[in-house]
Amino acid sequence: MAAVPKEFFSPESVAVIGASRHPGKIGHEILWNFARGFYEGKTFPINPHSERILELKTYKSVLDVPDKVDLAVVAVPAEGVAAVVKECTKKKIPAVVVISGGFAEVGEEGRVRELEIKKIIKGTATKVIGPNCVGVFDSKTQVDTLFLSRSRLLRPKKGNIAFVSQSGAVGTTIMDYLAANGLGLSKFISYGNQVDVDETDLLEFLGKDSDTKVIAAYIEGLKDGKKFLDVVKKLEKPLIILKAGKTAQGSQAFLSHTVALAGSAEIYSGAFKQVGAIEAENWEELFDFAKAFSMQPIPRGNKIAVVTDGGGFGVLATDAAEKNNLVLPEPSRKLLQKFKDFPAHASLKNPIDLTGDADVERYKLAVESCLASDEFDVVLVIALFQVPALSASVDDVLIELSRKYNKTIVACAAGSHYTQQLARKLEENGIPVYPTPERAVGALRAMLS
């Protein structure tokens, strides 16, 4: 198994091989990330035809760099990659990201190129991610090999979700989505054709990474299924997988995209379940599940209290819970005593319906009573923020209660600008919010898998 060097994520020096003077070129955008972004290490542009790029001295070859180089990012035409990788091995660079395409995904000629790279790095200390990838982003060190400009693709803030993607396009779009929705990321890796480092190596690395709490992965196929299952079985962190290529046509589509083994959807799903991985059925679930694991402790059991100010939403949550084998116990007589001053029109079964005239104090008493009680493992708070008696300070109450009790709490809030503002504040303080009861319950089901 190829150990993944830490230099992919925390290098003290980076060489951009194929650096370009021309904005819009891949080699220029990558260099800009290191030279003008937030990366604090040394940056060495490699280009035999320029003396300076972005005010940095340029070298004809990585072998001409007088300093140690920890990470090389390769963005040269496919036919020149092998020679560049050979120079990286001579320079004893531990981590190399090959962005360049034109390898096994294009046919036999490309496969020959990959075999040449494998021969070159065999027996050396150099490890390669790629080719045919966008590489690595680390939110702490600001290592950023993505060739998509920050003006067009947002980078997420620091967080504890790591994302591994076989597809650069899917991966970077998910990054953009995470950033736009205020969700944090620890590390992102697009690994492409996995000529050396593969998804299993990356999962093993992330399993030991102190900055990562939950791992999400987009996978089209596996290079070595047994190795993958052996590693996943030992992971002590949640792993959420979105498996593409489940249909016959889908499997054929990704053969021209990146090269890995397909296999039937049923076999993959069964294997994931066997080793404790959580499979997301779609893009939406991938985000929903990752967000829940990122922000909240794993529930101790499947007993849920639903607290709402909208009866219909409570019914939808009840239906979703039953379909997902989650239980809504009715509050005990002792617990109901805490609600004795609630108005007669409030429904105190489970869901606990505070009704449309609910205020902050009613929410506080109901939610805190459920969090403090051993009768429930989870509290699902459904807040229709639009009701007139409910002030925005309900956010502060829920945040305070979430910090006070070490128990899982998730929220559901549907609406436009005002609701979205309050939902964003909750998420910034560690309470995941979902726009529908079904999605909130689905995230809880994943946490209990």
Side-chain angles (χ1 to χ4, degrees), residues 116-378:
E116 190 175 0
I117 293 172
K118 288 180 180 181
K119 288 178 184 176
I120 290 167
I121 63 175
K122 187 176 181 180
T124 74
T126 298
K127 298 297 179 186
V128 174
I129 288 177
N132 184 32
C133 70
V134 297
V136 172
F137 172 75
D138 187 299
S139 64
K140 183 163 75 173
T141 65
Q142 289 295 304
V143 165
D144 185 350
T145 74
L146 281 60
F147 55 80
L148 301 153
S149 73
R150 291 178 180 236
S151 64
R152 298 189 181 191
L153 180 86
L154 298 175
R155 272 45 167 189
K157 65 182 181 181
K158 287 182 187 177
N160 57 26
I161 301 171
F163 186 65
V164 177
S165 179
Q166 198 161 354
S167 163
V170 170
T172 51
T173 305
I174 284 177
M175 278 186 64
D176 205 17
Y177 180 93
L178 289 171
N181 286 272
L183 298 174
L185 192 74
S186 59
K187 292 173 174 63
F188 163 77
I189 311 104
S190 151
Y191 56 92
N193 289 13
Q194 48 196 322
V195 72
D196 181 26
V197 174
D198 61 24
E199 69 286 306
T200 306
D201 303 319
L202 295 167
L203 293 179
E204 186 174 50
F205 177 88
L206 293 169
K208 300 171 184 174
D209 177 42
S210 60
D211 296 324
T212 297
K213 182 180 178 184
V214 55
I215 306 167
Y218 169 82
I219 292 173
E220 294 173 349
L222 298 174
K223 190 166 72 173
D224 186 335
K226 184 179 183 304
K227 184 175 82 166
F228 176 86
L229 296 175
D230 287 346
V231 166
V232 171
K233 193 182 298 183
K234 296 173 186 173
L235 281 178
E236 296 180 357
K237 298 175 183 178
L239 170 63
I240 305 157
I241 298 173
L242 176 58
K243 169 70 176 72
K246 288 183 175 181
T247 64
Q249 283 189 315
S251 297
Q252 287 301 314
F254 84 73
L255 288 176
S256 61
H257 176 208
T258 56
V259 179
L261 297 175
S264 86
E266 292 79 11
I267 291 173
Y268 272 103
S269 295
F272 293 156
K273 189 173 183 179
Q274 182 182 345
V275 295
I278 301 158
E279 187 173 10
E281 289 299 320
N282 50 52
W283 177 304
E284 188 177 82
E285 285 193 348
L286 187 72
F287 294 126
D288 285 354
F289 298 173
K291 182 164 69 172
F293 279 111
S294 168
M295 295 182 183
Q296 285 291 303
I298 295 173
R300 300 166 189 169
N302 68 342
K303 295 180 293 183
I304 299 177
V306 176
V307 179
T308 181
D309 57 358
F313 274 75
V315 175
L316 291 171
T318 303
D319 286 344
E322 185 172 340
K323 289 175 185 175
N324 286 280
N325 297 316
L326 307 179
V327 180
L328 274 71
E330 288 200 18
S332 65
R333 188 172 299 175
K334 179 181 178 183
L335 191 58
L336 287 172
Q337 279 299 307
K338 296 179 181 291
F339 309 144
K340 59 183 172 54
D341 294 329
F342 282 2
H345 57 271
S347 175
L348 303 181
K349 295 184 178 182
N350 193 4
I352 299 169
D353 182 5
L354 307 178
T355 72
D357 61 355
D359 58 13
V360 173
E361 286 305 313
R362 207 181 295 172
Y363 257 105
K364 181 177 181 180
L365 178 57
V367 173
E368 181 161 27
S369 298
C370 292
L371 286 172
S373 171
D374 291 333
E375 297 174 33
F376 306 106
D377 304 304
V378 177

Side-chain angles (χ1 to χ4, degrees), residues 19-21 45 47-53 57-60:
S20 172
R21 293 169 298 183
N47 184 321
H49 308 297
S50 300
E51 292 187 1
R52 300 189 77 81
I53 305 177
K57 175 179 170 56
T58 304
Y59 298 88
K60 295 185 184 302

Side-chain angles (χ1 to χ4, degrees), residues 363-430:
Y363 257 105
K364 181 177 181 180
L365 178 57
V367 173
E368 181 161 27
S369 298
C370 292
L371 286 172
S373 171
D374 291 333
E375 297 174 33
F376 306 106
D377 304 304
V378 177
V379 178
L380 168 56
V381 180
I382 303 175
L384 305 183
F385 290 122
Q386 301 93 333
V387 300
L390 190 63
S391 72
S393 64
V394 70
D395 264 16
D396 297 316
V397 167
L398 294 176
I399 292 163
E400 177 191 341
L401 294 177
S402 178
R403 291 172 179 168
K404 182 177 177 180
Y405 295 93
N406 186 31
K407 188 175 281 188
T408 312
I409 178 170
V410 300
C412 168
S416 58
H417 179 68
Y418 178 71
T419 294
Q420 289 165 13
Q421 274 188 318
L422 297 184
R424 178 63 65 90
K425 181 178 177 180
L426 288 175
E427 293 204 329
E428 286 172 351
N429 287 276

